[in-house]
Amino acid sequence: MRSILVPTDGSRYSIKAAKYAAKLAGELGARVSILHVSEYHPRVKARGLVEEEEKEAAQILSETKKVFDEANVTAEVMKLEFGHPADIICKAAEKRGFDLIVMGEKGAHEIGRFMLGSVADRVAHHASCPVLIVR
């Protein structure tokens, strides 16, 4: 296991997954990449909304990176991507050849759900590599 993708939306579930990934990466000596996906599409939304989304994404990525910094694990922050989160996560994992995806069971918009979050479920079923879902 040499490379781990950690998708984040800033939710408590994704931060918990980041902590788990940091521990795992530290033990395995794996490299980590952090990804945030926005469902806003820059060609469809007003520029002001896109700029606001970019600022929010920068904060989410920064907070997630802190988890790795505190664990003394080097983590690459990938550029903000726009699109359907599950599709972008799966494409990034395949394109960059990640060995593992570590993500939270639910996202920021799925807090009240009782079942596995739709993004995590879709990634688990469509990713080209193993997916570890943290509860």
Side-chain angles (χ1 to χ4, degrees):
M1 186 94 27
R2 294 178 297 192
S3 60
I4 300 172
L5 175 61
V6 180
T8 184
D9 64 2
S11 69
R12 69 183 177 106
Y13 293 98
S14 65
I15 296 299
K16 190 173 180 182
K19 289 177 181 177
Y20 193 93
K23 182 177 179 184
L24 187 61
E27 291 173 0
L28 297 174
R31 69 177 173 84
V32 173
S33 296
I34 305 166
L35 174 66
H36 176 69
V37 181
S38 170
E39 292 188 74
Y40 288 127
H41 195 284
R43 293 185 187 144
V44 176
K45 299 291 180 182
R47 184 68 203 152
L49 290 175
V50 172
E51 289 172 359
E52 185 178 317
E53 184 65 16
E54 288 171 341
K55 286 179 188 175
E56 183 179 329
Q59 182 165 343
I60 288 168
L61 289 164
S62 175
E63 288 173 11
T64 304
K65 181 146 181 357
K66 273 187 212 174
V67 170
F68 294 95
D69 292 344
E70 291 170 1
N72 292 318
V73 172
T74 302
E76 166 201 18
V77 175
M78 298 173 69
K79 74 176 187 72
L80 171 66
E81 295 283 344
F82 291 90
H84 188 278
D87 294 341
I88 299 297
I89 292 165
C90 290
K91 286 178 187 174
E94 185 171 356
K95 181 179 179 183
R96 303 237 342 234
F98 286 99
D99 297 314
L100 178 67
I101 299 169
V102 178
M103 62 188 301
E105 73 169 325
K106 298 176 187 171
H109 300 294
E110 301 168 326
I111 300 298
R113 294 191 59 175
F114 293 103
M115 311 241 337
L116 185 66
S118 60
V119 174
D121 183 58
R122 187 170 171 98
V123 171
H125 285 94
H126 297 285
S128 59
C129 64
V131 179
L132 175 62
I133 298 173
V134 178
R135 292 180 177 242

